[in-house]
Amino acid sequence: MTENSEDLELAAKIIADGGLVAFPTETVYGLGANALDPDAVARIYEVKQRPSDNPSIVHISEKNQIEPLTVRVTTEMRILMDRFWPGPLTMIALSSDLVPTVTRGGQPTVGIRLPESRTARELIRKSGCPVAAPSANISGRPSPTTAQDVFDDLNGEIHAIIDGGPCSVGIESTVIDMTGDIPMILRPGIITKEDFEEALGREILTDPMLNVKPELSGVNCKKPKSPGQKYRHYAPKAKMIIFEGEPDDVRSAIDEERMEREVMGQKVKTLIFESDERKAARDFFAELREADRNHVDVILAAALPEKGIGFSVMNRMLKSAGYNIRKV
């Protein structure tokens, strides 16, 4: 399907009738269903092979649509709404009874987002309901940033795919928990800790388990409030190794490893993003998907500095590689 008005009307009707539609956002493609229809949301989990305690994010088309979904919209939530919505921000709030348990992954909280993508907002508006939409891929696979990525994973399992071209951001939204005394980032994204602190005028927290190897953090033992917290994510079919160290040393180590593996007959892909963090965010999942299509055996990636957007990209890179890090 295309982004034209007629196709969006048809896609919206599919969602309103309890069906599943993959659609583009500025971050990644989402797999959408009526967030208030437990059967439709349960079908998302079935199609994605998604664990039932991994909550979905509820997408809205207007700011005021947050009101029925939560028991309270705080002053700081409104500040962030005014500053970052529409945009790649998901806020965790105390859920109202309107949101089904399955949509919330069994949590008393709900993640809510107003996407920047005009296509996404128009689809939600035409659907006449908030739309639950985790990424439109098989759970654990690299997130989809093109319609082809969705087709590769879910063809024949869902009712429609809207092709909106490549996503401009390329990694999922920043998730911030607004239910405590101090807001806490649960999933890093293109909106950073520094951005939030500037908007709120005070220091906020970052989940200390982020970018820490799971067996060292205990993260697998806790029930996630946000997608991306508990389960292995973003993994390509190829083995992936992250090289960490001084840039020149990393380049040399990657070149040496590449040559050794090519001599053994392996197909190798290298990922070196230099210092362009936004390009790294935009292209990371696309590069993993390309590696899969080209039947690459091993991906050799250079670590980014873990600050700002680089921290967010490294969050995905570490999970993709299963924390397989080689210090050089």
Side-chain angles (χ1 to χ4, degrees), residues 143-199:
S143 295
T145 57
T146 67
Q148 182 63 51
D149 296 343
V150 180
F151 186 87
D152 289 346
D153 277 16
L154 301 179
N155 179 40
E157 297 293 328
I158 63 178
H159 298 95
I161 301 172
I162 299 172
D163 188 349
C167 298
S168 59
V169 172
I171 58 173
E172 301 85 354
S173 60
T174 305
V175 177
I176 186 166
D177 184 359
M178 301 299 291
T179 63
D181 292 335
I182 304 175
M184 177 184 287
I185 294 174
L186 302 183
R187 181 178 72 186
I190 207 83
I191 301 172
T192 66
K193 181 177 187 288
E194 293 74 21
D195 295 328
F196 288 124
E197 290 177 342
E198 180 184 356

Side-chain angles (χ1 to χ4, degrees), residues 35-36 58 68-70 95-104 110:
L36 307 183
V58 177
L69 303 175
T70 176
S95 181
S96 72
D97 292 337
L98 183 65
V99 184
T101 301
V102 65
T103 304
R104 298 184 265 123
V110 59

